[in-house]
Amino acid sequence: MNRDRSITLGHAQHPDAFSAGRLAATQAREQLADDLQPGWALVFCGGRHNPATLLEGLRTVLGVIPIVGAVGVGLITAAAATLNGYECGLLLFADAFSPTAIVVADGLDQDETETGRHLGAQLREQIFPDAAVLLFYDSVKSSLPPVLHVGSRLLDGLYAGLGEQRPTVIGAGALTDMKWSEGFIFDGRQARKHAAVAIVLPPTLSTHITITHGCFPASDFLEITRMDGARVLELDGRPALAVVAERLEVSRAELAARRPLLSLTLGEKYGDPFAPFNENQYVNRLVMTADLADDSLTLFEADFQAGSRVQLMVIDPWRMVESAHHQTQTLLETLDQQTLAFGLYIDCAGRSMAFSGLEDDETAPIREQIGSRCPLLGFYSGVEIAPFLGRARPLDWTGVLALFTVTPHV
């Protein structure tokens, strides 16, 4: 457990945003050791709260310290995983764990790559070897119909701005609900839209990461032969929706009526395509919608391209729970006797019981194994960001578990 009480957890549910923020902040502040002062807070809130009002409630208790974080579809703590939209959860850090830097970049609605480049250029002057960076961005560009900010472009720009620097980056794209109505982040001072915030954690914290999965292939390899942005128009030279409907043995109309298509992703396998199935070799892209007008599939990200070889991937509820248990246990074993400071779990909203139709809570193995050892906070996101194949990438239908330990000497 976090015995020195220098990093504490607070969480509350209340339909009034001010009250939710005040109650969560009070709980965390009361647990902080008496001789320590708050340095900053990492906050996730439900999508039904007004962010400005929530911040007012937080600041009545915490004062003017930096408050960073994002909105989520729901909240995850050791006690429960909830999705009512009225949650507020925060990790409160003593000033000894204050970030090395907090940087913000606007303009996602104009150019995601340029926003990422600007963010990376700011970070390049602030980071140190083996630095860990938390990155949160607003996922929703516009709604009705939903248009999303493309996380892969943001990260391409980030690495262009970073130059030779290669910090460990984890984070998420934020959204308020599964209708993709809105999204916002907390940048340290206020709530923002169409923006990204990066928090450089202090060198006293070491990061340990694993990714939980739960999809398996439901087809052989299919080549994307025509694509427009995030819209897959053709697979193997035929209309994409027709191919998927045929493979899944459902009608095109039935597929198009599902919004979103939470049970379907397209997965690109890295490494030997003929090697036995290994979930860690796949980058999956959630299919948001299917369009009868042009037989297209719209993905959550726009990083697949013509020539990409993909497979239809469907969820396996048992595999999701088993992956969460196994990956968490394996990560804990690598830490040996190190003391955990806190845990962070960023989970795809579609994997929750409310949206996936699961009978088992996929977060339970993580909440049980981590929540008893240290403060644990997580939320349901639109996009998860974690290191994969040498750099941070946006992921879909995954959970990103990060455990943080205190480095004795830096």
Side-chain angles (χ1 to χ4, degrees), residues 127-131 158-160 162-169 390-392:
I127 59 178
F128 49 87
D130 301 319
L158 178 76
Y159 280 102
L162 282 169
E164 298 300 314
Q165 301 279 14
R166 285 296 181 269
T168 298
V169 179
R391 54 165 282 181

Side-chain angles (χ1 to χ4, degrees), residues 133-310:
V133 175
L134 303 180
L135 173 63
F136 302 106
Y137 72 95
D138 161 24
S139 279
V140 182
K141 184 174 183 178
S142 62
S143 58
L144 300 176
V147 178
L148 305 180
H149 295 132
V150 180
S152 55
R153 295 174 187 161
L154 172 66
L155 285 166
D156 286 345
L158 178 76
Y159 280 102
L162 282 169
E164 298 300 314
Q165 301 279 14
R166 285 296 181 269
T168 298
V169 179
I170 60 171
L175 73 170
T176 57
D177 54 49
M178 286 304 293
K179 296 179 180 178
W180 298 295
S181 302
E182 195 176 12
F184 57 82
I185 61 163
F186 298 110
D187 71 355
R189 295 181 301 153
Q190 61 184 342
R192 289 201 195 192
K193 284 187 56 60
H194 311 303
V197 60
I199 306 100
V200 183
L201 296 179
T204 47
L205 291 172
S206 297
T207 312
H208 316 270
I209 301 168
T210 191
I211 301 172
T212 66
H213 299 270
C215 293
F216 71 96
S219 77
D220 53 4
F221 288 98
L222 304 166
E223 183 178 348
I224 298 176
T225 47
R226 195 157 67 94
M227 193 156 184
D228 178 19
R231 295 166 58 240
V232 181
L233 301 174
E234 290 184 356
L235 292 168
D236 285 348
R238 297 175 55 209
L241 178 57
V243 172
V244 172
E246 181 181 284
R247 296 300 178 97
L248 297 182
E249 298 182 343
V250 297
S251 70
R252 293 166 53 253
E254 180 184 343
L255 276 177
R258 302 179 187 174
R259 294 182 181 273
L261 301 184
L262 288 174
S263 61
L264 178 64
T265 65
L266 297 184
E268 185 172 17
K269 185 177 184 180
Y270 287 80
D272 182 358
F274 304 107
F277 173 72
N278 181 344
E279 62 184 13
N280 295 310
Q281 289 183 281
Y282 283 83
V283 169
N284 298 315
R285 291 288 168 249
L286 179 66
V287 179
M288 289 174 56
T289 59
D291 191 341
L292 283 171
D294 60 5
D295 266 359
S296 67
L297 305 171
T298 300
L299 306 180
F300 215 99
E301 282 289 327
D303 52 345
F304 286 176
Q305 55 192 328
S308 296
R309 288 171 57 80
V310 298

Side-chain angles (χ1 to χ4, degrees), residues 56-190:
E56 289 178 11
L58 291 166
R59 293 209 180 279
T60 60
V61 178
L62 302 179
V64 296
I65 65 171
I67 296 175
V68 295
V71 67
V73 178
L75 192 72
I76 301 166
T77 66
T82 60
L83 296 101
N84 59 39
Y86 294 120
E87 304 91 349
C88 177
L90 74 147
L91 289 166
L92 182 61
F93 296 79
D95 54 7
F97 291 107
S98 292
T100 300
I102 298 174
V103 299
V104 186
D106 289 301
L108 282 173
D109 54 334
Q110 303 299 316
D111 189 329
E112 296 101 333
T113 304
E114 186 55 35
T115 299
R117 193 188 314 274
H118 180 51
L119 197 69
Q122 294 180 80
L123 283 173
R124 188 174 59 218
E125 306 302 320
Q126 304 282 350
I127 59 178
F128 49 87
D130 301 319
V133 175
L134 303 180
L135 173 63
F136 302 106
Y137 72 95
D138 161 24
S139 279
V140 182
K141 184 174 183 178
S142 62
S143 58
L144 300 176
V147 178
L148 305 180
H149 295 132
V150 180
S152 55
R153 295 174 187 161
L154 172 66
L155 285 166
D156 286 345
L158 178 76
Y159 280 102
L162 282 169
E164 298 300 314
Q165 301 279 14
R166 285 296 181 269
T168 298
V169 179
I170 60 171
L175 73 170
T176 57
D177 54 49
M178 286 304 293
K179 296 179 180 178
W180 298 295
S181 302
E182 195 176 12
F184 57 82
I185 61 163
F186 298 110
D187 71 355
R189 295 181 301 153
Q190 61 184 342

Side-chain angles (χ1 to χ4, degrees), residues 2 5-10 25 27-32 37-42 61-62 65 90-94:
N2 187 44
R5 296 190 296 152
S6 56
I7 302 172
T8 59
L9 174 69
Q27 185 182 100
R29 184 67 182 89
E30 288 178 346
Q31 294 179 68
L32 198 69
Q37 292 299 314
W40 67 291
L42 177 63
V61 178
L62 302 179
I65 65 171
L90 74 147
L91 289 166
L92 182 61
F93 296 79

